[in-house]
């Protein structure tokens, strides 16, 4: 429904977008015992690292090849080799994942060639899996980086069994490919759903193991959990792949090509009908009826929708988010009666065509702010808070990064339960900002004033005209509490 | 019940302005103005509630509830009566009496409470509300208030309306009695004009008064006092100098209007701010009565011109909804004046009223409904929640308008609902309010959420086959439960489109 437009501006003001290598690094954080590396200068990594730390309030394993002027010109082989050896020595990860950056892509480093050379020269890295994805900063956005990374993992690690398929050998095993818009809490919820049908999930990647804010028993320099390497090797034996978010289609197709495991794409899991479909799919895959718990949750969601619609009906909203998140949140808000007045996103995606809005603009927070001026509330990541303050609009934090709130890892938006949670949060925000009428909220137009006026001059009237009370000015008005 | 309270109630029941009372025989009248509540089937507030509702919108006074915590603790801050200034009325004051007070009496505590309030907040007056327990133990709030008034040199007004005295409606009137006895006529306004009116029984819920006031301002009509929405103590105290009284909410404080007429000769009329036609009639009435009492004759012409302009503006704004709302069926569960004033408002935009409750309506109200809706008006005396639910579920109505207590009946039937009682956030008075009401109805009716919540649970069809294979529910029992083990999920039972 929505037409995707691109901002015509030369200068992005207050960017909404985060870069591809950051999205890819984030995906690699969902692999167990992994060390993501950005092949670029130190700053490329540190900026992303800081964002991740501030969002998750966790130690984030992320390394850099620390390119400088000279190595950039001469080529980064030395730096990559040194980085790999150092990481191996210091953290001993099972997987080292390299994401290119704008710098090294511009130079044109042949990282695939470099890695082949490293393999020959450094046998001590033999038991370390190496993955590389090309993620130039100047193309796409965070979501694209994630997409490429997951596809890359599948192509690097999952064995190609297309000649001799082993599909369905693990009768109750299902692959789940979640998009980057899902929180660790969301992933836990999805795993729980599968578990309740007696299905075991291989989730790739799985940031719920690594970034769910737990206290690990020991110190590790790498990720603290996530998809196990052995599990990735076994993905070809699953009965099906469930891809969540449009961004996961590439990865699901790659997996199907290599292994023959059929996939089903869910463009969102925030909403009623999409979860109906999801649960019926699980029911079909497992041969089990939908458990009582979800029947109850569905009924609770219906109730939440009814309770929530009063506060969302006709509300104009400005959302700035990556395509899949924009689609998930926006579609639900639309179903609750809100109007998607301004939608700003970061990159192209087929899912935007289905967005129930007139347009989706690939733009920045300046664009969002402009549209939000006509809206009832604004929804985007924490960087939008200044615009919301300037406009004096209610502000709902959504997406990444959210650095001025804690508990981001556990926010829930998927499933009946998560949808319900999301409705409550937004509706409560709107409830906290119900407009309060004042005496001059409904001014009479001049035309009406004129015809009602006494024939003699106003000044001759024996009493003051207009709002006689004048208390609105003279008595200090507080929205709450007492004026003694 | 104290002798003075008994007398007061008898006075209220003798209300000459209440046709319902006047229509009764002497014997019936003694019984009271409403039927005895039937235990186990009663709903609604008590007399204390009624008195508090009626007077609390006087925003600059401290409202002190003399009783145990339930009376104020459970009820304060629950109405959206707005103030353009002081927020003191929103502070919950209660004596919160304890066991020892019950044994030894709570009068001392009450007196001290009044002192504390005056010292800390210095309001122009303190209103003291009697409640069941303190009335029962014999606390004489009149005496305490008298003593406190003398001691602190400030009006301390007793409101003798304990909950057990009767229902909410009676409490409204008893609240009115208190201001009649202790407030109105105790001060003089700085100046008067031939254009001064009082509005009685208007509580400025969600700021509704401010949808009306600009119209009166433009005409040069001064609201000397509103009793009690956005009211100030000194205004109410000097309201006896108004030229005309307008009675808004059907009969809630009719005793104020009738007694002011008896005592100060102020004519009153009963009007409504709900609906375009009613708003215009109200303006005409005000103009006519003011001219009768000495205002310039041009007021009538000016009023007509204003009505013309404002009606045209309202209709223009409503135009776009007419097509969308035409033929939509409304079930109206409310009481009193709204049962007819909202009916005419909705008919103005082409909606069909499939039923309106008349539980709290007077005979006059019912006559008006017949006048508007014709003889086949579906007046509902007492509808059980189940009947409402069935009516909505069977889609015999497209939307229900009611108070908050019955909202879930509509919502559980997955039908649109709109709050038109006091807890609502949206003001519906005057031309502005009518546009707002229609906007809200349109918004409720066309919210896409209705399509969503009526999506049948997908497993209902699949289950039949799948669950049959698992013989864990004896078939006979399953039938008896009406749908076996997934009977909990009411989704499938009425999944109509």
């Amino acid at each position: 429904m929505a037409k995707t437009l691109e901002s015509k501006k030369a200068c992005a003001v207050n960017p909404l977008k985060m870069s591809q290598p950051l999205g890819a690094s984030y995906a690699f954080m969902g692999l167990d015992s992994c060390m993501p590396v950005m092949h670029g200068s130190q700053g490329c990594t540190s900026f992303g690292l800081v964002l991740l730390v501030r969002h998750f309030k966790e130690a984030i394993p992320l390394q850099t090849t620390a390119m400088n002027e000279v190595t950039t010109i001469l080529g980064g082989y030395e730096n990559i080799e040194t980085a790999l050896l150092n990481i191996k020595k210091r953290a001993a990860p099972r997987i080292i994942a390299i994401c290119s950056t704008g710098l090294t892509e511009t130079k044109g480093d042949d990282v695939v060639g470099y890695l082949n050379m490293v393999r020959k020269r450094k046998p001590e890295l033999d038991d370390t899996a190496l993955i590389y994805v090309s993620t130039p900063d100047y193309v796409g956005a965070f979501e694209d980086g994630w997409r490429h990374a997951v596809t890359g993992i599948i192509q690097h690690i999952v064995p190609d069994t297309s000649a001799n398929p082993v599909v369905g050998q693990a009768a109750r095993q299902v692959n789940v490919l979640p998009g980057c818009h899902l929180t660790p809490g969301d992933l836990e919820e999805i795993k729980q759903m599968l578990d309740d049908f007696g299905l075991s999930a291989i989730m790739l990647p799985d940031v719920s193991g690594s970034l769910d804010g737990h206290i690990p028993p020991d110190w590790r320099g790498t990720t603290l959990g996530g998809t196990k390497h052995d599990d990735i090797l076994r993905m070809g034996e699953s009965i099906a792949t469930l891809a969540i978010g449009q961004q996961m289609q590439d990865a699901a197709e790659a997996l199907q090509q290599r292994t023959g495991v059929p996939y089903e794409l869910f463009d969102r899991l925030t909403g009623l009908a999409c979860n109906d479909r999801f649960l019926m799919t699980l029911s079909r895959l497992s041969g089990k009826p939908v458990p009582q718990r979800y029947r109850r949750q569905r009924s609770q969601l219906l109730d939440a929708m009814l309770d929530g619609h009063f506060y969302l009906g006709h509300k104009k909203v400005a959302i700035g988010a990556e395509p899949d998140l924009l689609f998930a949140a926006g579609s639900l808000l639309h179903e609750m009666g809100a109007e998607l007045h301004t939608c700003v996103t970061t990159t192209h995606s087929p899912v935007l065509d289905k967005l129930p809005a007139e347009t989706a603009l690939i733009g920045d927070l300046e664009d969002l702010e402009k549209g939000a001026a006509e809206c009832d509330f604004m929804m985007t990541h924490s960087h939008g808070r200044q615009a919301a303050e300037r406009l004096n609009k209610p502000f709902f934090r959504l997406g990444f990064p959210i650095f001025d709130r804690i508990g981001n890892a556990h926010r829930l938006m998927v499933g009946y339960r998560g949808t319900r949670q999301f409705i409550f949060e937004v509706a409560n925000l709107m409830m906290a900002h119900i407009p309060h009428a004042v005496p001059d909220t409904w001014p009479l137009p001049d035309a009406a004033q004129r015809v009602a006026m006494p024939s003699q001059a106003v000044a001759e009237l024996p009493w003051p005209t207009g709002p006689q009370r004048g208390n609105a000015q003279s008595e200090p008005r507080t929205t709450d509490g007492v004026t003694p | 019940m104290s002798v003075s309270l008994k007398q007061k109630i008898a006075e209220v029941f003798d209300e000459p302005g209440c046709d319902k009372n006047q229509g009764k025989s002497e014997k019936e009248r003694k019984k009271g103005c409403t039927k005895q509540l039937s235990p186990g089937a009663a709903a609604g507030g008590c007399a204390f509630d009624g008195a508090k509702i009626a007077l609390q919108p006087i925003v600059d006074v401290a409202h002190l509830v003399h009783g145990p915590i339930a009376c104020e603790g459970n009820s304060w801050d629950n109405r959206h009566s707005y103030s353009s200034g002081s927020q003191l009325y929103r502070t919950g004051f209660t004596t919160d009496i304890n066991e020892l007070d019950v044994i030894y009496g709570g009068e001392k505590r009450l007196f001290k409470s009044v002192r504390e309030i005056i010292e800390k907040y210095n309001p122009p007056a303190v209103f003291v509300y009697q409640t069941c327990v303190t009335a029962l133990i014999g606390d004489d709030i009149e005496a305490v208030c008298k003593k406190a008034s003398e001691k602190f040199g400030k009006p301390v007004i007793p409101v003798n309306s304990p909950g057990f005295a009767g229902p909410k409606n009676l409490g409204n009137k008893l609240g009115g009695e208190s201001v009649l006895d202790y407030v109105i006529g105790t001060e003089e306004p700085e100046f008067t004009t031939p254009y001064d009116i009082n509005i009685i029984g208007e509580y400025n819920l969600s700021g509704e008064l401010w949808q009306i006031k600009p119209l009166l301002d433009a005409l040069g009509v001064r609201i000397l006092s509103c009793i009690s929405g956005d009211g100030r103590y000194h205004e109410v105290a000097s309201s006896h100098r108004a030229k005309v009284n307008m009675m808004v909410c059907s009969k809630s404080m009719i005793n104020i209007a009738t007694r002011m007429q008896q005592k100060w000769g102020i004519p009153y009329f009963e009007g409504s701010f709900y609906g375009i036609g009613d708003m215009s009639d109200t303006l005409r009435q005000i103009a006519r009565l003011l001219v009768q009492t000495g205002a310039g004759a041009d007021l009538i012409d000016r009023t007509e011109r204003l009505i013309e302009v404002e009606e045209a503006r309202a209709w223009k704004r409503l135009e776009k909804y007419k097509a969308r709302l035409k033929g939509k069926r409304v079930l109206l569960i409310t009481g009193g004046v709204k049962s007819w004033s909202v009916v005419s408002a909705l008919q103005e935009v082409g909606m069909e009223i499939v039923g309106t409750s008349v539980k709290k309506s007077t005979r006059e109200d019912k006559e008006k409904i017949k006048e508007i809706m014709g003889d086949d008006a579906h007046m509902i005396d007492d509808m059980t929640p189940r009947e409402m639910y069935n009516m909505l579920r069977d889609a015999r109505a497209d939307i229900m308008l009611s108070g908050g207590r019955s909202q879930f009946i509509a919502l559980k039937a997955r039908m649109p609902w709109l709050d038109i009682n006091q807890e609502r956030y949206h003001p519906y008075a005057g031309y502005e309010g009518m546009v707002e009401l229609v906007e809200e109805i349109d918004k409720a009716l066309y919210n896409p959420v209705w399509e969503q919540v009526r999506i049948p649970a997908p497993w209902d069809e699949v289950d039949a086959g799948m669950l049959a294979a698992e013989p864990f529910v004896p078939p006979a029992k399953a039938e008896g439960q009406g749908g076996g083990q997934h009977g909990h999920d009411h989704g499938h039972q009425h999944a109509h489109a």
Side-chain angles (χ1 to χ4, degrees):
Chain A
M1 281 177 276
K3 205 170 135 202
T4 307
L5 301 177
E6 275 184 76
S7 180
K8 296 268 185 289
K9 289 189 298 193
C11 170
V13 182
N14 298 332
L16 170 71
K17 189 163 68 171
M18 244 70 51
S19 75
Q20 271 209 96
L22 180 55
S25 303
Y26 178 43
F28 290 127
M29 280 164 208
L31 301 184
D32 186 47
S33 187
C34 173
M35 177 64 82
V37 184
M38 283 190 197
H39 181 38
S41 74
Q42 202 161 236
C44 301
T45 298
S46 87
F47 291 145
L49 182 68
V50 167
L51 276 186
L52 287 162
V53 168
R54 291 177 80 197
H55 180 89
F56 286 107
K57 319 282 185 232
E58 293 294 324
I60 298 292
L62 184 57
Q63 265 305 331
T64 171
T65 54
M67 299 292 283
N68 61 33
E69 204 177 4
V70 176
T71 55
T72 301
I73 292 163
L74 298 179
Y77 177 78
E78 295 279 330
N79 286 57
I80 285 193
E81 191 188 86
T82 316
L84 293 176
L85 293 173
N86 275 335
I87 290 167
K88 166 81 183 166
K89 193 164 76 199
R90 292 159 64 103
R94 181 76 189 73
I95 301 169
I96 301 174
I98 300 171
C99 317
S100 67
T101 62
L103 179 79
T104 52
E105 288 282 353
T106 306
K107 159 68 178 63
D109 271 2
D110 174 17
V111 182
V112 177
Y114 293 172
L115 290 182
N116 287 336
M117 181 123 60
V118 169
R119 279 276 179 241
K120 281 181 203 139
R121 284 165 48 102
K122 299 290 169 192
E124 59 265 49
L125 289 170
D126 281 355
D127 58 349
T128 309
L130 302 177
I131 303 174
Y132 164 72
V133 281
S134 162
T135 50
D137 295 298
Y138 46 75
V139 177
F142 191 85
E143 191 182 283
D144 301 298
W146 174 282
R147 176 157 56 101
H148 294 319
V150 183
T151 312
I153 295 166
I154 287 168
Q155 283 163 345
H156 276 80
I157 304 181
V158 177
D160 189 339
T161 51
S162 51
N164 302 298
V166 287
V167 180
Q169 274 190 5
R172 296 207 154 270
Q173 178 180 303
V174 174
N175 303 324
V176 179
L177 303 176
C180 64
H181 57 307
L182 303 181
T183 66
D186 287 334
L187 303 189
E188 275 175 5
E189 184 76 5
I190 293 167
K191 279 194 277 190
Q192 180 68 53
M193 286 192 215
L194 267 73
D195 195 49
D196 287 341
F197 281 90
L199 298 169
S200 72
I202 297 181
M203 186 169 272
L204 179 76
D206 185 3
V207 290
S208 78
S210 54
L211 290 170
D212 61 339
H214 63 281
I215 305 287
D218 56 350
W219 176 258
R220 282 164 72 182
T222 64
T223 49
L224 303 173
T227 324
K228 298 252 187 299
H229 190 259
D230 293 345
D231 285 341
I232 303 174
L233 297 176
R234 295 191 295 111
M235 287 178 92
E237 300 164 17
S238 298
I239 51 176
T241 298
L242 306 176
I244 309 188
Q246 176 67 48
Q247 59 185 295
M248 302 318 285
Q249 184 156 19
D250 288 359
E253 261 169 23
L255 189 57
Q256 187 174 18
Q257 266 176 24
R258 286 181 85 78
T259 64
V261 179
Y263 75 90
E264 196 153 340
L265 180 73
F266 294 85
D267 50 23
R268 60 173 161 136
L269 283 188
T270 301
L272 181 74
C274 54
N275 279 297
D276 285 352
R277 188 184 141 219
F278 188 66
L279 286 174
M280 289 315 283
T281 302
L282 297 186
S283 179
R284 182 168 48 75
L285 290 174
S286 65
K288 286 190 175 175
V290 175
Q292 231 11 273
R293 159 209 294 252
Y294 297 102
R295 297 169 189 236
R296 181 110 192 116
Q297 283 183 8
R298 185 181 196 274
S299 181
Q300 289 171 336
L301 171 59
L302 291 182
D303 198 61
M305 293 177 85
L306 293 170
D307 292 347
H309 88 280
F310 293 114
Y311 307 98
L312 294 173
H314 280 203
K315 287 280 179 279
K316 282 189 193 166
V317 52
I319 313 186
E322 296 232 279
D324 277 332
L325 185 56
L326 173 64
F327 179 71
S331 300
L332 181 74
L333 290 172
H334 169 76
E335 285 157 3
M336 297 290 295
E339 181 198 330
L340 303 186
H341 179 277
T342 300
C343 295
V344 180
T345 191
T346 58
T347 181
H348 283 279
S349 166
V351 83
L352 295 173
D353 301 342
K354 292 188 275 180
L355 190 71
E358 269 181 35
T359 54
L361 176 73
I362 299 178
D364 55 28
L365 291 176
E366 187 188 57
D367 299 319
L368 187 71
E369 184 171 347
K370 211 169 139 202
E374 292 165 34
C375 291
D376 296 296
F377 67 113
M378 194 176 140
M379 227 181 211
T380 189
H381 55 57
S382 286
H383 290 300
R385 73 197 189 294
Q386 297 176 19
E389 275 162 27
R390 278 191 290 273
L391 297 169
N392 195 20
K393 299 280 178 190
F395 181 49
F396 189 94
R397 287 165 177 79
L398 181 80
F400 175 88
I402 298 175
F403 45 72
D404 51 353
R405 290 290 183 274
I406 63 164
N408 301 312
H410 294 286
R411 290 183 76 188
L412 197 57
M413 269 181 76
V414 302
Y416 295 136
R417 229 157 57 95
T419 308
R420 187 185 69 191
Q421 188 62 35
F422 180 62
I423 289 169
F424 289 157
E425 282 178 31
V426 187
N428 283 337
L429 177 75
M430 295 324 293
M431 211 188 286
H433 288 86
I434 289 170
H436 195 103
V438 292
D440 53 3
T441 299
W442 297 278
L444 213 56
D446 285 347
Q449 295 270 16
R450 263 197 311 279
V451 299
M453 213 180 296
S455 26
Q456 72 254 53
V458 178
E460 291 167 31
L461 288 174
W463 63 91
T465 51
Q468 294 120 347
R469 181 155 282 144
N471 293 322
Q473 287 81 43
S474 60
E475 288 178 41
R477 203 184 142 272
T478 51
T479 47
D480 237 317
V482 179
T483 315
Chain B
M1 210 178 285
S2 69
V3 180
S4 66
L5 179 58
K6 265 190 183 152
Q7 269 175 2
K8 196 88 287 180
I9 292 174
E11 268 177 53
V12 168
F13 286 160
D14 200 23
E15 178 50 61
C18 178
D19 327 308
K20 192 153 183 167
N21 254 327
Q22 293 306 304
K24 287 175 184 171
S25 72
E26 190 71 26
K27 203 176 156 195
E28 274 182 311
R29 211 175 303 161
K30 274 195 183 132
K31 280 190 194 158
C33 73
T34 42
K35 278 175 276 180
Q36 271 301 312
L37 300 174
S38 63
C46 63
F48 156 71
D49 187 16
K52 188 85 186 299
I53 285 168
L55 301 183
Q56 182 149 6
I58 302 176
V59 297
D60 56 353
V61 311
H63 300 269
L64 168 62
V65 176
H66 182 41
I69 191 63
C71 305
E72 178 69 349
N74 299 352
S75 72
W76 78 293
D77 201 15
N78 66 352
R79 286 165 67 90
H80 308 137
S81 181
Y82 285 4
S83 166
S84 59
S86 173
Q87 299 291 317
L88 188 60
Y89 73 119
R90 295 180 62 199
T91 309
F93 296 106
T94 173
T95 50
D96 182 16
I97 58 160
N98 61 30
E99 218 168 8
L100 287 178
D101 296 320
V102 173
I103 296 166
Y104 295 110
E107 291 176 355
K108 276 190 182 147
R109 181 186 286 272
L110 174 59
F111 186 81
K112 280 188 198 162
S113 299
V114 173
R115 178 163 63 205
E116 277 175 18
I117 290 172
I118 290 175
E119 282 169 1
K120 275 195 280 186
Y121 297 93
N122 192 29
V126 179
F127 281 35
V128 174
Y129 296 82
Q130 182 64 294
T131 62
C132 295
V133 174
T134 48
L136 200 63
I137 60 174
D139 278 4
D140 187 345
I141 64 161
E142 273 99 352
V144 176
C145 288
K146 189 158 180 268
K147 183 84 186 294
S149 294
E150 287 161 11
K151 176 96 178 170
F152 307 123
K154 230 178 231 289
V156 181
I157 313 297
V159 183
N160 201 350
S161 178
F164 57 53
K168 188 159 85 178
N169 190 253
L170 173 66
N172 295 149
K173 293 188 173 69
L174 290 175
E177 288 294 313
S178 282
V179 287
L180 280 167
D181 289 349
Y182 295 96
V183 186
I184 297 173
T186 59
E187 294 180 23
E188 291 297 327
E190 276 176 41
F191 63 93
T192 59
T193 81
Y195 298 88
D196 290 351
I197 66 165
N198 295 321
I199 301 178
I200 300 168
E202 160 59 46
Y203 304 125
N204 196 30
L205 295 172
S206 304
E208 281 185 335
L209 182 63
W210 303 324
Q211 296 181 314
I212 309 301
K213 194 167 175 289
L215 298 162
L216 299 172
D217 284 345
L219 291 168
V221 173
R222 174 167 79 150
I223 303 173
L224 186 62
S225 87
C226 179
I227 302 174
S228 50
D230 198 18
R232 301 298 187 281
Y233 182 78
H234 297 303
E235 289 173 358
V236 178
S238 53
S239 61
H240 61 297
R241 297 300 177 207
K243 301 296 181 290
V244 169
N245 276 340
M246 175 189 174
M247 189 64 232
V248 179
C249 182
S250 209
K251 305 289 173 182
S252 78
M253 293 206 283
I254 187 83
N255 49 333
I256 295 188
T258 53
R259 269 232 262 155
M260 286 179 90
Q261 188 182 35
Q262 289 163 358
K263 212 165 162 185
W264 292 286
I266 305 171
Y268 76 88
F269 76 99
E270 199 185 327
S272 163
F273 293 134
Y274 297 114
I276 292 174
D278 288 332
M279 182 65 226
S280 300
D281 284 346
T282 294
L283 289 175
R284 285 190 186 102
Q285 287 263 38
I286 291 172
R288 190 176 57 82
L289 286 172
L290 280 175
V291 170
Q292 269 177 24
T293 55
D298 68 318
L299 178 61
I300 289 176
D301 293 339
R302 290 191 285 120
T303 303
E304 286 303 331
R305 290 203 300 264
L306 178 64
I307 287 170
E308 198 183 328
V309 170
E310 279 295 281
E311 280 198 354
R313 183 166 74 102
W315 282 120
K316 202 173 157 215
R317 292 163 76 190
L318 287 174
E319 201 53 49
K320 63 172 170 177
Y321 298 105
K322 275 184 161 176
R324 289 163 65 86
L325 297 183
K326 190 174 160 38
K328 293 285 181 195
R329 291 157 303 167
V330 181
L331 176 61
L332 197 57
I333 303 293
T334 175
V337 68
K338 274 173 270 162
S339 56
W340 54 269
S341 59
V342 174
V343 166
S344 62
L346 297 182
Q347 285 184 338
E348 278 171 0
V349 287
M351 300 190 79
E352 188 190 324
I353 315 293
V354 290
T356 179
S357 69
V358 289
K359 203 175 165 187
K360 284 192 271 179
S361 304
T362 61
R363 199 183 58 203
E364 203 185 3
D365 286 335
K366 289 183 192 171
E367 283 305 314
K368 284 207 170 100
I369 294 170
K370 273 195 187 155
E371 206 178 288
I372 301 162
M373 294 174 63
D375 279 338
D376 53 345
H378 188 164
M379 283 190 258
I380 301 156
D381 241 323
D382 201 359
M383 201 179 201
T384 65
R386 184 175 298 278
E387 285 164 342
M388 284 183 220
Y389 178 83
N390 287 338
M391 189 161 182
L392 290 160
R393 203 196 56 188
D394 301 344
R396 279 180 278 150
D398 297 305
I399 183 168
M400 180 163 93
L401 270 55
S402 75
R405 271 189 296 260
S406 38
Q407 70 171 296
F408 300 103
I409 297 167
L411 296 183
K412 302 290 176 193
R414 307 175 199 214
M415 291 301 280
W417 170 81
L418 189 67
D419 195 349
I420 53 165
N421 268 13
Q422 59 272 8
E423 293 90 359
R424 68 191 144 81
Y425 292 101
H426 294 278
Y428 297 141
Y431 306 113
E432 285 290 345
M434 185 62 207
V435 175
E436 187 136 355
L437 173 67
V438 170
E439 262 172 27
E440 286 299 311
I441 291 176
D442 182 83
K443 182 172 108 180
L445 274 171
Y446 285 97
N447 194 311
V449 82
W450 303 115
E451 285 161 39
Q452 288 288 317
V453 298
R454 292 169 194 162
I455 295 174
W459 43 77
D460 288 336
E461 298 155 32
V462 183
D463 268 6
M466 203 177 252
L467 294 178
E470 296 176 58
F472 54 89
V473 181
K477 202 178 165 197
E479 261 169 43
Q481 283 174 346
Q485 63 128 37
H486 54 279
H488 303 289
D489 177 73
H490 51 258
H492 64 289
Q493 289 167 5
H494 40 81
H496 57 278

